[in-house]
Coordinates of all heavy atoms in Angstrom, one line a residue:
M1 N 16.6 74.9 -5.7 CA 15.3 75.2 -5.3 C 15.1 75.0 -3.7 O 14.5 75.9 -3.1 CB 14.4 74.1 -6.0 CG 12.9 74.4 -5.8 SD 12.5 76.1 -6.4 CE 11.0 76.5 -5.4
G2 N 15.8 74.0 -3.2 CA 15.6 73.8 -1.7 C 16.2 75.1 -1.0 O 15.6 75.6 -0.1
R3 N 17.4 75.4 -1.4 CA 18.0 76.6 -0.7 C 17.2 77.8 -0.9 O 17.1 78.7 -0.1 CB 19.4 76.8 -1.3 CG 20.5 75.9 -0.7 CD 21.9 76.3 -1.1 NE 22.1 77.7 -0.7 CZ 23.0 78.6 -1.4 NH1 23.6 78.2 -2.5 NH2 23.1 79.8 -1.0
F4 N 16.7 78.0 -2.2 CA 15.9 79.2 -2.4 C 14.7 79.3 -1.5 O 14.4 80.3 -0.9 CB 15.4 79.2 -3.9 CG 14.6 80.4 -4.3 CD1 15.2 81.7 -4.3 CD2 13.3 80.3 -4.6 CE1 14.4 82.8 -4.6 CE2 12.5 81.3 -5.0 CZ 13.1 82.6 -5.0
G5 N 14.0 78.1 -1.4 CA 12.8 78.0 -0.6 C 13.1 78.5 0.8 O 12.4 79.2 1.5
A6 N 14.3 77.9 1.4 CA 14.6 78.3 2.9 C 14.9 79.8 3.0 O 14.5 80.4 3.9 CB 15.9 77.4 3.2
G7 N 15.6 80.4 1.9 CA 15.7 81.8 2.0 C 14.5 82.6 2.0 O 14.4 83.5 2.8
V8 N 13.6 82.2 1.2 CA 12.3 82.9 1.1 C 11.6 82.8 2.4 O 11.0 83.7 3.0 CB 11.4 82.3 0.0 CG1 10.0 82.9 0.1 CG2 12.0 82.7 -1.3
S9 N 11.6 81.6 3.1 CA 10.9 81.3 4.4 C 11.5 82.3 5.4 O 10.8 83.0 6.2 CB 11.0 79.9 4.8 OG 10.5 79.1 3.9
A10 N 12.9 82.3 5.4 CA 13.6 83.2 6.4 C 13.2 84.6 6.2 O 12.9 85.3 7.1 CB 15.0 83.0 6.3
F11 N 13.2 85.0 4.9 CA 12.8 86.4 4.6 C 11.3 86.7 5.0 O 11.1 87.7 5.8 CB 12.9 86.6 3.1 CG 12.5 87.9 2.6 CD1 13.4 89.0 2.9 CD2 11.4 88.2 1.9 CE1 13.0 90.3 2.5 CE2 11.1 89.4 1.5 CZ 11.9 90.5 1.8
L12 N 10.4 85.8 4.8 CA 9.0 86.1 5.2 C 8.9 86.1 6.7 O 8.2 86.9 7.3 CB 8.2 85.0 4.6 CG 7.9 85.1 3.2 CD1 7.0 83.9 2.8 CD2 7.2 86.3 2.9
L13 N 9.7 85.3 7.4 CA 9.7 85.3 8.9 C 10.1 86.6 9.4 O 9.5 87.2 10.3 CB 10.7 84.2 9.4 CG 10.6 83.9 10.9 CD1 9.2 83.3 11.2 CD2 11.6 83.0 11.4
V14 N 11.2 87.2 8.9 CA 11.7 88.5 9.2 C 10.5 89.5 8.9 O 10.3 90.3 9.7 CB 13.0 88.8 8.5 CG1 13.3 90.3 8.8 CG2 14.1 87.9 9.0
A15 N 9.9 89.4 7.7 CA 9.0 90.3 7.4 C 7.7 90.3 8.3 O 7.3 91.4 8.8 CB 8.4 90.0 5.9
C16 N 7.4 89.2 8.8 CA 6.2 89.0 9.6 C 6.5 89.5 11.1 O 5.6 89.9 11.8 CB 5.7 87.6 9.6 SG 5.0 87.0 8.0
T17 N 7.7 89.2 11.5 CA 8.0 89.7 12.9 C 8.5 91.0 12.9 O 8.9 91.6 14.0 CB 9.1 88.6 13.5 OG1 10.2 88.6 12.6 CG2 8.4 87.3 13.6
G18 N 8.6 91.8 11.8 CA 9.0 93.1 11.8 C 10.5 93.2 12.3 O 10.8 94.0 13.2
G19 N 11.4 92.6 11.6 CA 12.8 92.6 11.9 C 13.4 94.0 12.0 O 12.8 94.9 11.4
T20 N 14.3 94.2 12.8 CA 14.7 95.5 13.1 C 15.7 96.1 12.0 O 15.8 97.3 11.8 CB 15.5 95.7 14.5 OG1 16.4 94.6 14.6 CG2 14.5 95.6 15.5
A21 N 16.4 95.2 11.2 CA 17.3 95.7 10.3 C 16.7 96.5 9.3 O 17.2 97.5 8.8 CB 18.1 94.5 9.7
L22 N 15.5 96.1 8.9 CA 14.7 96.8 7.8 C 13.4 97.0 8.5 O 12.7 96.1 8.9 CB 14.6 95.9 6.6 CG 14.3 96.5 5.3 CD1 15.4 97.4 4.8 CD2 14.1 95.3 4.2
A23 N 13.0 98.3 8.4 CA 11.6 98.6 9.1 C 10.5 97.9 8.4 O 10.6 97.6 7.1 CB 11.4 100.1 9.0
A24 N 9.5 97.5 9.1 CA 8.3 96.8 8.4 C 7.7 97.8 7.4 O 8.0 99.0 7.5 CB 7.3 96.6 9.6
G25 N 7.0 97.3 6.4 CA 6.5 98.0 5.4 C 5.5 99.0 5.9 O 4.7 98.8 6.8
N26 N 5.5 100.3 5.4 CA 4.7 101.3 5.9 C 3.7 101.6 4.7 O 4.2 102.2 3.6 CB 5.6 102.5 6.2 CG 4.7 103.7 6.6 OD1 3.8 104.1 6.0 ND2 5.2 104.4 7.8
A27 N 2.5 101.3 4.9 CA 1.5 101.5 3.8 C 1.3 102.9 3.3 O 1.1 103.2 2.2 CB 0.2 100.8 4.2
E28 N 1.4 103.8 4.2 CA 1.2 105.2 3.9 C 2.4 105.7 3.0 O 2.1 106.3 2.0 CB 1.2 106.0 5.2 CG 0.5 107.3 5.0 CD 0.5 108.1 6.4 OE1 0.1 107.5 7.4 OE2 0.9 109.3 6.5
R29 N 3.6 105.3 3.4 CA 4.7 105.7 2.5 C 4.6 105.0 1.2 O 5.0 105.5 0.1 CB 6.1 105.3 3.3 CG 6.7 106.5 3.8 CD 8.2 106.1 4.3 NE 8.5 104.8 4.5 CZ 8.9 104.3 5.7 NH1 9.0 105.1 6.7 NH2 9.2 103.0 5.8
G30 N 4.1 103.7 1.2 CA 4.0 102.9 0.0 C 3.1 103.6 -0.9 O 3.2 103.7 -2.2
G31 N 2.0 104.2 -0.4 CA 1.0 104.8 -1.2 C 1.6 106.1 -1.9 O 1.3 106.3 -3.1
T32 N 2.4 106.7 -1.2 CA 3.1 108.0 -1.7 C 4.0 107.6 -2.9 O 4.0 108.1 -4.0 CB 3.9 108.8 -0.7 OG1 3.0 109.0 0.4 CG2 4.5 110.0 -1.2
I33 N 4.8 106.5 -2.7 CA 5.6 106.0 -3.7 C 4.8 105.5 -5.0 O 5.2 105.8 -6.1 CB 6.5 104.8 -3.2 CG1 7.4 105.3 -2.1 CG2 7.4 104.3 -4.3 CD1 7.9 104.1 -1.2
A34 N 3.7 104.8 -4.7 CA 2.8 104.3 -5.7 C 2.3 105.5 -6.6 O 2.4 105.5 -7.8 CB 1.7 103.5 -5.2
G35 N 1.9 106.6 -5.9 CA 1.4 107.7 -6.6 C 2.4 108.4 -7.5 O 2.2 108.8 -8.6
R36 N 3.7 108.3 -7.0 CA 4.8 109.0 -7.8 C 5.3 108.1 -8.9 O 5.5 108.6 -10.0 CB 5.8 109.3 -6.8 CG 7.0 110.2 -7.5 CD 8.0 110.6 -6.4 NE 7.5 111.1 -5.2 CZ 8.0 111.0 -4.0 NH1 9.1 110.3 -3.9 NH2 7.4 111.5 -2.9
W37 N 5.4 106.8 -8.7 CA 6.2 106.0 -9.7 C 5.2 105.0 -10.4 O 5.7 104.5 -11.4 CB 7.2 105.1 -8.9 CG 8.3 105.9 -8.4 CD1 8.6 106.3 -7.0 CD2 9.4 106.5 -9.1 NE1 9.6 107.0 -6.9 CE2 10.2 107.2 -8.2 CE3 9.8 106.6 -10.4 CZ2 11.4 107.9 -8.6 CZ3 10.9 107.3 -10.8 CH2 11.7 107.9 -9.9
C38 N 4.1 104.7 -9.9 CA 3.3 103.6 -10.5 C 2.0 104.1 -11.2 O 1.5 103.5 -12.0 CB 2.9 102.6 -9.5 SG 4.2 102.3 -8.2
A39 N 1.5 105.3 -10.7 CA 0.2 105.8 -11.2 C 0.1 106.1 -12.7 O -1.0 106.3 -13.2 CB -0.2 107.0 -10.4
S40 N 1.3 106.3 -13.4 CA 1.2 106.6 -14.8 C 0.7 105.4 -15.6 O 0.2 105.6 -16.6 CB 2.6 107.0 -15.3 OG 3.6 106.1 -15.0
C41 N 0.8 104.1 -15.1 CA 0.3 103.0 -15.7 C -0.8 102.2 -14.9 O -1.8 101.8 -15.5 CB 1.5 102.0 -15.9 SG 2.8 102.6 -16.9
H42 N -0.6 102.2 -13.6 CA -1.5 101.4 -12.8 C -2.5 102.3 -12.1 O -2.2 103.5 -11.7 CB -0.8 100.7 -11.6 CG 0.1 99.6 -12.0 ND1 -0.3 98.3 -12.2 CD2 1.4 99.6 -12.4 CE1 0.7 97.6 -12.6 NE2 1.8 98.3 -12.7
L43 N -3.7 101.8 -11.8 CA -4.7 102.4 -11.0 C -4.3 102.0 -9.6 O -4.4 100.9 -9.2 CB -6.1 101.9 -11.3 CG -7.3 102.7 -10.9 CD1 -7.3 104.1 -11.5 CD2 -8.6 102.1 -11.3
V44 N -3.7 103.0 -8.9 CA -3.1 102.7 -7.6 C -3.9 102.8 -6.4 O -3.7 102.2 -5.3 CB -1.7 103.4 -7.4 CG1 -0.7 103.2 -8.5 CG2 -2.0 104.9 -7.1
G45 N -5.0 103.6 -6.5 CA -5.8 103.7 -5.3 C -7.2 104.3 -5.7 O -7.5 104.6 -6.8
P46 N -8.2 104.3 -4.8 CA -9.5 104.7 -5.0 C -9.7 106.2 -5.5 O -10.6 106.4 -6.2 CB -10.3 104.5 -3.6 CG -9.2 104.2 -2.7 CD -7.9 103.9 -3.4
G47 N -8.7 107.0 -5.2 CA -8.8 108.4 -5.6 C -8.4 108.6 -7.1 O -8.7 109.7 -7.6
Q48 N -7.9 107.6 -7.8 CA -7.4 107.8 -9.1 C -8.5 107.4 -10.1 O -9.2 106.4 -9.9 CB -6.1 107.0 -9.3 CG -5.3 107.2 -10.6 CD -4.2 106.3 -10.8 OE1 -3.8 105.7 -9.8 NE2 -3.7 106.2 -12.0
T49 N -8.6 108.1 -11.2 CA -9.7 107.8 -12.1 C -9.3 107.3 -13.5 O -10.0 106.6 -14.2 CB -10.6 109.1 -12.4 OG1 -9.7 110.1 -12.7 CG2 -11.4 109.5 -11.1
S50 N -8.0 107.5 -13.9 CA -7.6 106.9 -15.1 C -6.2 106.3 -15.0 O -5.4 106.9 -14.3 CB -7.6 108.1 -16.1 OG -6.6 109.1 -15.9
A51 N -6.0 105.3 -15.9 CA -4.7 104.7 -16.0 C -4.7 103.8 -17.2 O -5.7 103.9 -17.9 CB -4.5 103.8 -14.8
S52 N -3.6 103.2 -17.6 CA -3.6 102.3 -18.7 C -4.6 101.2 -18.6 O -4.6 100.6 -17.6 CB -2.2 101.8 -19.0 OG -1.3 102.9 -19.3
A53 N -5.4 101.1 -19.6 CA -6.5 100.0 -19.5 C -6.1 98.6 -19.3 O -6.6 97.8 -18.7 CB -7.4 100.2 -20.7
D54 N -4.8 98.3 -20.0 CA -4.4 96.9 -20.0 C -3.4 96.6 -18.9 O -2.8 95.5 -18.8 CB -3.8 96.5 -21.3 CG -2.8 97.5 -21.8 OD1 -2.6 98.6 -21.1 OD2 -2.0 97.2 -22.7
V55 N -3.3 97.5 -17.8 CA -2.4 97.2 -16.7 C -3.3 96.9 -15.6 O -4.2 97.6 -15.3 CB -1.5 98.5 -16.5 CG1 -0.6 98.2 -15.3 CG2 -0.7 98.8 -17.8
P56 N -2.9 95.9 -14.8 CA -3.7 95.5 -13.6 C -3.7 96.5 -12.6 O -2.7 97.2 -12.4 CB -3.0 94.1 -13.1 CG -1.6 94.2 -13.7 CD -1.7 94.9 -15.0
T57 N -4.9 96.7 -12.0 CA -5.0 97.7 -11.0 C -4.4 97.2 -9.7 O -4.4 96.0 -9.4 CB -6.5 98.1 -10.6 OG1 -7.1 96.9 -10.1 CG2 -7.2 98.5 -11.9
F58 N -4.0 98.1 -8.7 CA -3.4 97.6 -7.5 C -4.5 96.9 -6.7 O -4.1 96.0 -5.8 CB -2.7 98.7 -6.7 CG -1.3 99.1 -7.2 CD1 -0.9 98.5 -8.4 CD2 -0.5 100.0 -6.5 CE1 0.3 98.7 -8.9 CE2 0.8 100.3 -7.0 CZ 1.2 99.7 -8.2
A59 N -5.7 97.2 -6.8 CA -6.8 96.5 -6.0 C -6.9 95.1 -6.5 O -7.0 94.1 -5.7 CB -8.1 97.2 -6.2
A60 N -6.7 94.8 -7.9 CA -6.7 93.5 -8.4 C -5.5 92.8 -7.9 O -5.6 91.5 -7.7 CB -6.7 93.5 -9.9
V61 N -4.3 93.4 -8.0 CA -3.1 92.8 -7.4 C -3.3 92.4 -5.9 O -2.9 91.2 -5.6 CB -1.9 93.7 -7.5 CG1 -0.6 93.0 -7.0 CG2 -1.6 94.0 -9.1
A62 N -4.0 93.2 -5.1 CA -4.2 93.0 -3.7 C -5.1 91.7 -3.6 O -4.8 90.8 -2.8 CB -4.7 94.2 -3.1
A63 N -6.1 91.7 -4.4 CA -7.2 90.6 -4.3 C -6.4 89.3 -4.6 O -6.7 88.2 -4.1 CB -8.3 90.9 -5.2
R64 N -5.5 89.3 -5.6 CA -4.8 88.1 -6.1 C -3.8 87.6 -5.0 O -3.5 86.5 -4.9 CB -4.1 88.4 -7.4 CG -3.8 87.2 -8.2 CD -3.5 87.5 -9.5 NE -2.2 88.1 -9.8 CZ -1.1 87.4 -9.9 NH1 -1.1 86.0 -9.7 NH2 0.1 88.0 -10.1
S65 N -3.1 88.6 -4.3 CA -2.0 88.2 -3.5 C -2.5 87.7 -2.1 O -1.8 87.0 -1.4 CB -1.1 89.3 -3.3 OG -1.7 90.5 -2.9
K66 N -3.8 88.2 -1.7 CA -4.4 87.6 -0.6 C -3.4 87.5 0.7 O -3.3 86.5 1.3 CB -4.9 86.1 -0.8 CG -6.2 86.1 -1.6 CD -7.4 86.3 -0.8 CE -8.5 86.7 -1.6 NZ -9.0 87.9 -1.6
G67 N -2.7 88.6 1.0 CA -1.9 88.7 2.1 C -0.5 87.9 1.9 O 0.3 88.1 2.8
E68 N -0.3 87.4 0.8 CA 0.9 86.7 0.5 C 1.8 87.8 -0.2 O 1.9 87.9 -1.4 CB 0.7 85.6 -0.5 CG 0.3 84.3 0.1 CD 1.5 83.6 0.9 OE1 2.7 83.8 0.5 OE2 1.3 82.8 1.8
L69 N 2.5 88.6 0.6 CA 3.2 89.7 0.0 C 4.6 89.3 -0.4 O 5.3 90.1 -1.1 CB 3.3 90.9 1.0 CG 1.9 91.4 1.3 CD1 2.0 92.6 2.4 CD2 1.1 91.9 0.1
G70 N 5.0 88.1 -0.1 CA 6.3 87.6 -0.5 C 6.6 87.8 -2.0 O 7.6 88.3 -2.5
W71 N 5.7 87.3 -2.8 CA 5.8 87.2 -4.3 C 5.9 88.6 -4.8 O 6.6 89.0 -5.7 CB 4.8 86.4 -4.9 CG 3.4 87.1 -5.1 CD1 2.4 87.1 -4.1 CD2 3.0 88.1 -6.0 NE1 1.3 87.8 -4.6 CE2 1.7 88.5 -5.8 CE3 3.6 88.6 -7.3 CZ2 1.0 89.3 -6.5 CZ3 3.0 89.4 -8.1 CH2 1.6 89.9 -7.7
L72 N 5.1 89.5 -4.2 CA 5.0 90.9 -4.6 C 6.4 91.6 -4.4 O 6.9 92.3 -5.2 CB 3.9 91.6 -3.7 CG 3.4 93.0 -4.2 CD1 2.9 92.8 -5.6 CD2 2.3 93.4 -3.3
E73 N 7.0 91.4 -3.3 CA 8.3 91.9 -3.1 C 9.4 91.4 -3.9 O 10.2 92.1 -4.4 CB 8.7 91.7 -1.5 CG 7.7 92.4 -0.5 CD 8.1 92.3 0.9 OE1 9.2 91.8 1.2 OE2 7.4 92.8 1.8
G74 N 9.2 90.1 -4.3 CA 10.1 89.5 -5.2 C 9.9 90.0 -6.6 O 10.9 90.4 -7.3
F75 N 8.6 90.2 -7.0 CA 8.3 90.8 -8.3 C 9.0 92.1 -8.4 O 9.5 92.6 -9.5 CB 6.8 90.9 -8.4 CG 6.4 91.5 -9.7 CD1 6.1 90.7 -10.9 CD2 6.1 92.9 -9.8 CE1 5.7 91.3 -12.0 CE2 5.7 93.4 -11.0 CZ 5.6 92.7 -12.1
L76 N 8.8 93.0 -7.4 CA 9.2 94.4 -7.4 C 10.7 94.5 -7.4 O 11.2 95.5 -7.9 CB 8.6 95.2 -6.3 CG 7.1 95.4 -6.5 CD1 6.5 96.2 -5.3 CD2 6.7 96.1 -7.8
A77 N 11.4 93.5 -6.8 CA 12.9 93.5 -6.8 C 13.4 93.2 -8.2 O 14.5 93.6 -8.5 CB 13.3 92.5 -5.8
D78 N 12.7 92.5 -9.0 CA 13.1 92.2 -10.4 C 11.9 92.4 -11.3 O 11.3 91.4 -11.7 CB 13.6 90.7 -10.3 CG 14.2 90.3 -11.6 OD1 14.6 91.2 -12.4 OD2 14.3 89.0 -11.8
P79 N 11.5 93.6 -11.6 CA 10.3 93.9 -12.4 C 10.1 93.2 -13.7 O 11.0 92.9 -14.3 CB 10.4 95.5 -12.4 CG 11.4 95.9 -11.5 CD 12.4 94.8 -11.4
H80 N 8.9 93.1 -14.0 CA 8.5 92.6 -15.3 C 9.0 93.5 -16.4 O 9.1 94.7 -16.3 CB 7.0 92.6 -15.4 CG 6.4 91.9 -16.5 ND1 6.4 92.5 -17.7 CD2 5.8 90.7 -16.7 CE1 5.8 91.6 -18.5 NE2 5.5 90.5 -17.9
P81 N 9.5 92.9 -17.5 CA 10.1 93.6 -18.6 C 9.2 94.8 -19.1 O 9.8 95.8 -19.6 CB 10.4 92.6 -19.7 CG 10.4 91.3 -19.0 CD 9.5 91.4 -17.8
A82 N 7.9 94.6 -19.0 CA 7.0 95.6 -19.5 C 7.0 96.9 -18.7 O 6.6 98.0 -19.0 CB 5.5 95.1 -19.5
M83 N 7.7 96.8 -17.4 CA 7.8 97.9 -16.5 C 9.2 98.4 -16.6 O 10.1 97.7 -16.7 CB 7.5 97.4 -15.1 CG 6.0 97.2 -14.9 SD 5.6 96.4 -13.3 CE 6.6 97.3 -12.2
P84 N 9.4 99.7 -16.4 CA 10.7 100.3 -16.3 C 11.5 99.8 -15.1 O 10.8 99.5 -14.1 CB 10.5 101.8 -16.3 CG 9.0 102.0 -15.7 CD 8.3 100.7 -16.2
D85 N 12.7 99.7 -15.1 CA 13.4 99.2 -13.9 C 13.7 100.5 -13.1 O 14.4 101.4 -13.4 CB 14.9 98.7 -14.4 CG 15.6 98.2 -13.2 OD1 15.2 98.5 -12.0 OD2 16.8 97.8 -13.3
M86 N 12.8 100.5 -11.9 CA 12.8 101.7 -11.1 C 13.8 101.7 -10.1 O 13.9 102.7 -9.3 CB 11.4 101.9 -10.6 CG 10.4 102.3 -11.7 SD 8.7 102.1 -11.2 CE 8.5 100.3 -11.4
S87 N 14.6 100.7 -9.9 CA 15.6 100.6 -8.9 C 15.1 101.0 -7.6 O 15.7 101.8 -6.9 CB 16.9 101.5 -9.3 OG 17.4 101.1 -10.6
L88 N 14.0 100.3 -7.2 CA 13.5 100.6 -5.9 C 14.4 100.0 -4.8 O 15.0 99.0 -5.0 CB 12.1 99.9 -5.8 CG 11.1 100.4 -6.7 CD1 9.9 99.4 -6.7 CD2 10.5 101.8 -6.3
T89 N 14.5 100.7 -3.6 CA 15.2 100.2 -2.6 C 14.4 99.0 -1.8 O 13.2 99.0 -2.1 CB 15.5 101.2 -1.5 OG1 14.3 101.6 -0.8 CG2 16.2 102.4 -2.1
R90 N 15.1 98.2 -1.0 CA 14.3 97.2 -0.4 C 13.2 97.8 0.6 O 12.1 97.3 0.8 CB 15.2 96.2 0.3 CG 16.1 95.4 -0.6 CD 16.9 94.4 0.2 NE 16.0 93.5 1.0 CZ 16.5 92.7 1.9 NH1 17.7 92.7 2.2 NH2 15.7 91.9 2.6
Q91 N 13.5 98.9 1.1 CA 12.5 99.6 2.0 C 11.3 100.0 1.2 O 10.2 99.9 1.6 CB 13.1 100.7 2.7 CG 12.2 101.4 3.8 CD 11.9 100.3 4.8 OE1 12.7 99.8 5.5 NE2 10.5 100.0 5.0
E92 N 11.6 100.6 0.0 CA 10.5 101.1 -0.9 C 9.7 99.9 -1.3 O 8.4 100.1 -1.3 CB 11.1 101.8 -2.0 CG 11.6 103.2 -1.7 CD 12.4 103.9 -2.9 OE1 13.0 103.2 -3.7 OE2 12.4 105.1 -3.0
I93 N 10.3 98.8 -1.6 CA 9.6 97.7 -2.0 C 8.6 97.2 -0.9 O 7.5 96.8 -1.1 CB 10.5 96.6 -2.5 CG1 11.3 96.9 -3.8 CG2 9.9 95.2 -2.6 CD1 12.3 96.0 -4.3
R94 N 9.2 97.2 0.3 CA 8.4 96.7 1.4 C 7.2 97.7 1.7 O 6.1 97.2 2.0 CB 9.3 96.6 2.6 CG 8.7 96.0 3.8 CD 9.8 95.5 4.8 NE 10.3 94.2 4.3 CZ 11.1 93.4 5.0 NH1 11.3 93.7 6.2 NH2 11.6 92.4 4.5
D95 N 7.5 98.9 1.5 CA 6.4 99.8 1.7 C 5.3 99.8 0.7 O 4.1 99.8 1.0 CB 6.9 101.3 1.7 CG 7.9 101.7 2.8 OD1 7.9 100.9 3.8 OD2 8.6 102.7 2.7
L96 N 5.7 99.5 -0.5 CA 4.8 99.4 -1.6 C 4.0 98.0 -1.5 O 2.8 98.0 -1.6 CB 5.5 99.2 -3.0 CG 5.9 100.5 -3.6 CD1 6.9 100.3 -4.7 CD2 4.7 101.2 -4.1
A97 N 4.6 97.0 -1.0 CA 3.9 95.7 -0.8 C 2.9 95.9 0.4 O 1.8 95.4 0.3 CB 4.9 94.6 -0.4
A98 N 3.3 96.6 1.5 CA 2.4 96.9 2.6 C 1.1 97.7 2.0 O 0.0 97.5 2.5 CB 3.1 97.6 3.7
Y99 N 1.5 98.7 1.2 CA 0.4 99.5 0.6 C -0.6 98.7 -0.1 O -1.9 98.8 0.0 CB 1.0 100.7 -0.2 CG -0.1 101.4 -1.0 CD1 -1.0 102.2 -0.3 CD2 -0.3 101.3 -2.4 CE1 -2.0 102.9 -0.9 CE2 -1.2 101.9 -3.0 CZ -2.2 102.7 -2.3 OH -3.2 103.4 -3.0
I100 N -0.1 97.9 -1.1 CA -0.9 97.1 -2.0 C -1.7 96.1 -1.1 O -2.9 95.9 -1.3 CB -0.1 96.4 -3.0 CG1 0.4 97.5 -4.0 CG2 -1.0 95.4 -3.8 CD1 1.4 96.9 -5.0
G101 N -1.0 95.5 -0.1 CA -1.7 94.6 0.8 C -2.8 95.2 1.5 O -3.8 94.5 1.8
S102 N -2.7 96.5 1.8 CA -3.8 97.1 2.6 C -5.0 97.5 1.8 O -6.1 97.9 2.3 CB -3.2 98.4 3.2 OG -3.1 99.5 2.2
L103 N -4.9 97.3 0.4 CA -6.0 97.6 -0.5 C -7.0 96.5 -0.5 O -8.2 96.6 -0.9 CB -5.6 97.9 -1.9 CG -4.6 99.1 -2.1 CD1 -4.1 99.0 -3.6 CD2 -5.4 100.4 -1.8
D104 N -6.7 95.3 0.0 CA -7.6 94.1 -0.2 C -8.7 94.2 0.9 O -8.3 94.3 2.0 CB -6.7 92.8 -0.1 CG -7.6 91.6 -0.5 OD1 -8.6 91.8 -1.2 OD2 -7.3 90.5 0.0
Ligands
HEC1 C1 5.4 102.0 -17.8 C2 4.2 101.4 -17.1 C3 4.3 100.8 -15.7 C4 4.8 101.4 -14.6 C5 5.3 102.9 -14.4 C6 4.6 100.4 -13.5 N1 4.1 99.3 -14.0 FE1 3.5 97.6 -12.9 N2 3.0 96.7 -14.7 C7 3.0 97.3 -15.9 C8 2.4 96.4 -16.9 C9 2.2 96.6 -18.3 C10 2.3 95.2 -16.1 C11 1.6 93.9 -16.7 C12 2.7 93.0 -17.0 C13 2.2 91.7 -17.6 O1 1.4 91.0 -16.7 O2 2.5 91.3 -18.6 C14 2.5 95.4 -14.7 C15 2.4 94.5 -13.7 C16 2.6 94.8 -12.4 C17 2.5 93.8 -11.3 C18 2.1 92.4 -11.4 C19 0.6 92.1 -11.5 C20 0.3 90.7 -11.5 O3 -0.8 90.5 -11.1 O4 1.1 89.9 -11.9 C21 2.7 94.5 -10.2 C22 2.7 93.9 -8.7 C23 3.1 95.8 -10.5 N3 3.0 95.9 -11.8 C24 3.6 96.8 -9.6 C25 3.9 98.0 -9.9 C26 4.5 99.0 -9.0 C27 4.5 98.8 -7.5 C28 5.0 100.1 -9.7 C29 5.5 101.4 -9.2 C30 6.7 101.2 -8.4 C31 4.6 99.8 -11.1 N4 4.1 98.5 -11.2 C32 4.9 100.7 -12.2 C33 3.3 98.6 -16.2 C34 3.8 99.5 -15.3

């Protein structure tokens, strides 16, 4: 647990300072990915009118995460069993987290 916590902190630090190895999340690109991969189940943005009723909307996810995007990136790296394994790249995950974060 201790080692894991340290790893997460280091990761968040890199995320917050926009480390150069991996570009900072791009909300616009994340929105495009969301429309392509997530909109069949989730309500991903204001322009969408229908989605699965029992799946949380991205606006709800954004309200719940309150700028804490670390858990979101972790969740997307190892998706919930109810979701297909989309094998997102770390960059795609970061873009999606930036997009969802921008909805709040
Ligand atoms: C096949 C349908 C489906 C697709 C496609 C899908 N999801 Fe999900 N997602 C779900 C379901 C169902 C849940 C709720 C799981 C639960 O809480 O039991 C969920 C939960 C989530 C959660 C957690 C919400 C929370 O509050 O815990 C996030 C974040 C999420 N999805 C993001 C995404 C992203 C990003 C994509 C696209 C890359 C995506 N999902 C694609 C069905 C889907």
Side-chain angles (χ1 to χ4, degrees):
M1 188 60 205
R3 279 191 57 208
F4 179 69
V8 169
S9 308
F11 179 69
L12 286 177
L13 189 66
V14 171
C16 293
T17 53
T20 47
L22 198 62
N26 179 312
E28 201 178 313
R29 258 192 336 242
T32 305
I33 300 168
R36 188 178 311 150
W37 293 105
C38 322
S40 52
C41 299
H42 292 273
L43 200 60
V44 304
Q48 193 184 341
T49 51
S50 70
S52 298
D54 54 349
V55 178
T57 67
F58 279 8
V61 174
R64 197 163 80 79
S65 54
K66 287 275 167 256
E68 277 284 336
L69 299 180
W71 77 267
L72 195 55
E73 295 184 5
F75 177 90
L76 292 176
D78 187 15
H80 190 281
M83 287 168 48
D85 182 357
M86 289 164 285
S87 304
L88 298 166
T89 66
R90 289 186 58 192
Q91 186 63 58
E92 287 170 331
I93 287 171
R94 189 159 284 194
D95 292 345
L96 280 163
Y99 170 68
I100 294 173
S102 77
L103 296 174
D104 190 25

